[in-house]
Amino acid sequence: MAARDREWPGGRWVMAAFLAALAAAPLVLPEFHVTLLNYIGLSALVALGLVLLTGVGGLTSFGQAAFVGLGAYTSAVLTTTYGQSPWLALGVGLVLTLAVAVVLGSVTLRLSGHYLPLGTMAWGISLYFLFGNLEFLGGHSGISSVPPVTLLDFALTDSRHYYYLVWAFVLIALFTTRNLLDSREGRAIRALKGGMVMAEAMGVDTSRARMVIFVLAALQACAAGWLYAHLQRFVNPTPFGLNTGIEYLFMAVVGGAGQVWGALVGAGVITILKQWLQDVLPRLLGSAGNFEIIVFGAMMVLVLHHARDGLWPLLARLVPLRSQPRRIDPTAEPLPRKPRPPHGEVILEARRVTRSFGGLVANKNMDLSVRAGEILALIGPNGAGKSTMFNQLSGVDDPTSGEILFRGRSIAGLGPHRVAAMGISRTFQHVRLLPRMSVLENVAIGAHLRGHKGVLPAAWRLDRAEEARLLREAAVQLERVGLHGLMDEEAGSLALGQQRILEIARALCADPCLLLLDEPAAGLRLKEKQALAELLNRLRAEGMAVLLVEHDMDFVMGLVDRVVVMEFGEKIAEGLPEEVQRNPAVLEAYLGGV
């Protein structure tokens, strides 16, 4: 969901037509089709949570059906055994699901790679068997005589009436999810796909962001379970097993895992396709069976092979709507800036820093300091330990011994998002951007720590004033680095040199007093290097401290105030550029010999 995709000329008419068709459906369609639409809505609610969790956040879960079951069983027990209102049962179910999701998420989300989906499968299966083996839940026979939902003393016993309740939940979920993704919190969530190191370096607490989307997906699944229980008026464990969890994941992926509307498309396509195959295949094959599963599986493979981004992007191309550039509010109040340290003050100091990986010593007794208003270069041959040192200075890695002080405070062990909050921002040797997001939104990620609105204000559009300020700041930084004219382009469409400049703009958006640049001139043409040098000179004049790792010696020696040279993890020289260039040890180790 790039910035340029937010508003479409004519998009309101398309939305109005969709809502009108949705409202008219139960008035003109047969009972069977209305019931089918109800089940599409329930599935879309779960799939929407998976779009947020899997498609946007990159966390694969096979266990969402268990959360559906948790919502259904909570309401069934409270309304049948204890005679409580279904609406009270919904509230209790959401609170219970929140607690369970936090407990499961605190364990599961620590896993990575293939262990994460396996973990979700494990607790999904566990909850499924728990539903079937507890006597007060009715065992495998389930709970019957679940009462209907009532609105103003009107019982929603007719599927046509219940339809409006189901789709009200779906539309609210679509609205709030779309709003959330178009916000500061949403950018933090989308930043997860760019890698934990990048997101943390921009000040995003990735553990919190992962927990937020895990809980939100669980709550949406719980709401779907509540609706299911009072639609069916009967609950048993069968619909909440692993197979159904896989089906929900298919819906999200087939519809378009990174698209909010993809959840609706995927739920509709798979639900209708399953029903159609169950009707048609027995007639063709002359016998009953699960042949539809075989055909269904084959069709899913074809869809995933030929439409990896799902069906929604293909459908969106058929609608003659053009994207509209993001509007920046020039009247938005500028964000406050941190006071700059006095010129010449030592703001970063590394003392006898050693980093060992088993028997390999990457850094040994490294000392360096950076002062406000100066540019310091860290140079050395490949394998000298520059990247390891860089990661320790930015909080990505911790030293084995020694200490690193930022403005007199030790930063070892704080983690990169806390280090970023103190006023250190960085770029990366290999560019780390979100290629499908706009240039503007990529830069706005850097301002994450300068905003405070949370998930609920974002979901209900109560953060618009702050959002306008953050986007204005991002636009200011893009103008500062000369990329203002490209702010509505996708970041992945930029040339490598422009992407490196974009990373610098993103780092500046955090309002740091120390800028760590990892090979910023790599891939830049001569004029781009000259423009970068001019930018860094302006930052130095403003009192910014800059530490850069770079291999382009012509660029370095004509720009920096001091140079630190490393070889085999140790400092072999330090001084002014002209002194370092005459140092015999440096000439031998790095600059090609005498």
Side-chain angles (χ1 to χ4, degrees):
M1 229 169 84
R4 57 190 295 178
D5 298 329
R6 296 285 182 262
E7 299 291 342
W8 290 322
R12 292 182 180 179
W13 292 105
V14 174
M15 178 60 70
F18 168 74
L19 293 176
L22 202 61
L27 305 177
V28 299
L29 293 177
E31 184 79 17
F32 171 78
H33 292 101
V34 174
T35 302
L36 194 62
L37 284 172
N38 281 334
Y39 285 107
I40 290 173
L42 297 178
S43 298
L45 201 53
V46 185
L48 184 60
L50 283 169
V51 164
L52 196 61
L53 183 64
T54 302
V56 178
L59 307 175
T60 303
S61 172
F62 292 99
Q64 296 309 106
F67 288 125
V68 179
L70 196 58
Y73 269 104
T74 300
S75 193
V77 170
L78 289 178
T79 54
T80 58
T81 305
Y82 298 99
Q84 299 297 323
S85 161
W87 294 103
L88 176 63
L90 172 61
V92 174
L94 291 172
V95 172
L96 178 61
T97 301
L98 172 64
V100 172
V102 168
V103 172
L104 292 177
S106 63
V107 177
T108 308
L109 297 179
R110 295 180 182 181
L111 303 173
S112 60
H114 59 276
Y115 296 107
L116 175 59
L118 287 175
T120 65
M121 290 173 66
W123 55 252
I125 294 171
S126 299
L127 288 176
Y128 168 72
F129 280 104
L130 187 67
F131 296 147
N133 286 284
L134 293 178
E135 290 187 10
F136 78 95
L137 297 182
H140 288 284
S141 299
I143 301 173
S144 58
S145 302
V146 177
V149 175
T150 57
L151 281 173
L152 302 175
D153 296 328
F154 180 75
L156 302 179
T157 55
D158 189 302
S159 63
R160 295 179 187 274
H161 298 150
Y162 204 79
Y163 166 93
Y164 290 106
L165 179 65
V166 169
W167 283 93
F169 270 74
V170 174
L171 290 176
I172 289 171
L174 286 168
F175 172 78
T176 54
T177 302
R178 193 167 185 268
N179 290 346
L180 174 61
L181 292 177
D182 182 24
S183 70
R184 165 184 171 272
E185 287 281 0
R187 284 189 294 273
I189 293 167
R190 286 184 282 165
L192 295 175
K193 271 202 165 181
M196 297 298 179
V197 173
M198 184 277 284
E200 290 270 343
M202 297 301 107
V204 176
D205 185 344
T206 56
S207 296
R208 176 187 175 276
R210 285 156 66 96
M211 182 63 78
V212 163
I213 56 177
F214 187 78
V215 168
L216 289 176
L219 292 176
Q220 289 182 349
C222 169
W226 178 80
L227 289 166
Y228 173 84
H230 294 282
L231 173 64
Q232 286 287 96
R233 312 281 297 279
F234 169 76
V235 175
N236 76 342
T238 303
F240 313 125
L242 183 61
N243 287 343
T244 310
I246 294 173
E247 192 173 294
Y248 287 136
L249 189 59
F250 266 148
M251 291 177 184
V253 173
V254 168
Q259 309 288 334
V260 170
W261 291 99
L264 195 56
V265 172
V269 167
I270 290 183
T271 303
I272 294 171
L273 184 60
K274 278 184 62 181
Q275 185 63 46
W276 179 73
L277 290 173
Q278 288 172 357
D279 293 340
V280 171
L281 289 180
R283 299 176 192 171
L284 295 177
L285 301 176
S287 61
N290 291 325
F291 297 109
E292 71 275 2
I293 296 178
I294 300 172
V295 178
F296 177 75
M299 294 181 71
M300 289 305 100
V301 171
L302 289 174
V303 169
L304 295 174
H305 183 71
H306 294 287
R308 294 188 177 183
D309 292 329
L311 298 177
W312 174 251
L314 301 179
L315 295 175
R317 294 174 193 168
L318 303 177
V319 182
L321 298 174
R322 292 183 302 172
S323 59
Q324 185 175 355
R326 168 77 81 169
R327 294 178 181 176
I328 303 299
D329 183 3
T331 64
E333 183 181 352
L335 294 173
R337 299 195 178 279
K338 300 184 184 75
R340 289 277 183 262
H343 195 282
E345 177 184 299
V346 175
I347 61 171
L348 179 72
E349 188 174 11
R351 299 174 179 172
R352 300 187 63 79
V353 170
T354 298
R355 183 66 174 103
S356 301
F357 299 93
L360 174 64
V361 179
N363 293 144
K364 183 178 180 181
N365 294 329
M366 273 295 300
D367 293 314
L368 63 81
S369 62
V370 188
R371 301 182 180 91
E374 81 161 345
I375 302 175
L376 174 69
L378 182 62
I379 68 172
N382 290 330
K386 303 184 300 297
S387 294
T388 302
M389 190 67 192
F390 211 74
N391 284 336
Q392 291 174 96
L393 297 177
S394 60
V396 175
D397 198 6
D398 297 327
T400 305
S401 63
E403 60 180 344
I404 300 172
L405 304 176
F406 179 70
R407 306 196 71 176
R409 178 182 171 186
S410 175
I411 61 174
L414 290 182
H417 73 274
R418 292 180 180 173
V419 170
M422 296 175 67
I424 299 178
S425 197
R426 66 168 293 181
T427 65
F428 297 90
Q429 180 181 359
H430 303 290
V431 175
R432 299 192 184 187
L433 300 172
L434 296 168
R436 301 295 294 274
M437 280 173 58
S438 71
V439 168
L440 179 71
E441 288 192 303
N442 268 277
V443 174
I445 292 172
H448 178 77
L449 286 167
R450 302 175 73 182
H452 306 285
K453 297 292 185 182
V455 173
L456 291 179
W460 294 100
R461 307 296 274 185
L462 302 176
D463 64 336
R464 293 300 91 186
E466 180 181 89
E467 180 70 358
R469 298 176 71 192
L470 295 175
L471 293 178
R472 181 183 182 277
E473 177 67 19
V476 167
Q477 298 304 334
L478 281 170
E479 188 168 9
R480 193 179 192 182
V481 302
L483 294 180
H484 188 267
L486 300 173
M487 71 178 188
D488 291 302
E489 301 298 321
E490 286 189 349
S493 68
L494 270 58
L496 176 60
Q498 292 173 320
Q499 290 182 358
R500 290 197 178 278
I501 300 299
L502 192 160
E503 274 204 324
I504 295 175
R506 184 180 64 190
L508 291 174
C509 212
D511 188 33
C513 54
L514 172 61
L515 194 59
L516 305 179
L517 304 180
D518 199 348
E519 299 190 24
L524 269 62
R525 296 186 291 269
L526 177 61
K527 288 187 177 180
E528 292 173 329
K529 290 180 182 179
Q530 292 172 345
L532 175 59
E534 291 176 6
L535 172 64
L536 296 181
N537 279 322
R538 290 200 304 272
L539 294 175
R540 171 170 52 192
E542 294 171 10
M544 178 86 71
V546 179
L547 170 63
L548 64 88
V549 171
E550 186 54 68
H551 285 291
D552 188 330
M553 289 300 100
D554 291 334
F555 177 78
V556 167
M557 297 303 176
L559 173 69
V560 304
D561 298 293
R562 291 187 300 122
V563 180
V564 171
V565 187
M566 293 182 66
E567 185 184 26
F568 299 120
E570 298 184 74
K571 181 169 69 175
I572 60 171
E574 179 178 4
L576 300 176
E578 56 271 20
E579 295 173 348
V580 168
Q581 289 181 87
R582 294 194 300 266
N583 189 303
V586 176
L587 290 171
E588 182 66 28
Y590 187 52
L591 297 179
V594 178

